[in-house]
Amino acid sequence: LEVFGIGANGHIHTLQTTAPTIAVSQQNGITAAAITAGASDVCGIITTTGTNNTGGTTVLQVTFGKTYTTAPKSVQLQPLNAGASGVNFPFISAITATTFDITFPALGTVVTPSVNYQVIA
């Protein structure tokens, strides 16, 4: 069963059938999060609803659709809007074989931050 391939014009793609899920595990104004359609355990886009407030952190937990044998070596984030950039840049606070956590720092007001992620096993 092929789960990774090279498609038309050399584009890399995954054929993962069970998408990862996301939950707000610690709330400080961000009330919801979603992983956009077509995402996989390897990469995707995360959008949020709400505003992370100064003085507290919000933590999002992504659960892989399929457990890795061991924890991935790296999860990379890239901001997709102003809410996820600058001093408010989120960071990966935990990585396991089943999940990774994204923490939004308490450095300022962050409105509906969006990021994309890439997991390297």
Side-chain angles (χ1 to χ4, degrees), residues 4-62:
F4 172 78
I6 306 293
N9 299 314
H11 296 145
I12 298 171
H13 63 93
T14 65
L15 299 174
Q16 183 174 345
T17 56
T18 304
T21 59
I22 190 167
V24 179
S25 61
Q26 180 177 319
Q27 186 182 40
N28 181 45
I30 293 177
T31 57
I35 297 177
T36 58
S40 69
D41 289 345
V42 176
C43 63
I45 296 171
I46 296 170
T47 59
T48 64
T49 303
T51 301
N52 192 58
N53 299 304
T54 301
T57 58
T58 295
V59 179
L60 308 178
Q61 186 169 76
V62 175

Side-chain angles (χ1 to χ4, degrees), residues 3-119:
V3 294
F4 172 78
I6 306 293
N9 299 314
H11 296 145
I12 298 171
H13 63 93
T14 65
L15 299 174
Q16 183 174 345
T17 56
T18 304
T21 59
I22 190 167
V24 179
S25 61
Q26 180 177 319
Q27 186 182 40
N28 181 45
I30 293 177
T31 57
I35 297 177
T36 58
S40 69
D41 289 345
V42 176
C43 63
I45 296 171
I46 296 170
T47 59
T48 64
T49 303
T51 301
N52 192 58
N53 299 304
T54 301
T57 58
T58 295
V59 179
L60 308 178
Q61 186 169 76
V62 175
T63 301
F64 297 121
K66 183 170 175 62
T67 300
Y68 283 86
T69 303
T70 61
K73 293 172 184 62
S74 177
V75 177
Q76 303 294 314
L77 296 177
Q78 178 180 3
L80 294 178
N81 62 7
S85 64
V87 297
N88 299 313
F89 189 77
F91 59 92
I92 301 300
S93 52
I95 304 172
T96 72
T98 56
T99 64
F100 68 88
D101 291 354
I102 302 170
T103 297
F104 290 87
L107 301 175
T109 301
V110 179
V111 180
T112 61
S114 293
V115 296
N116 68 15
Y117 66 89
Q118 182 177 21
V119 177

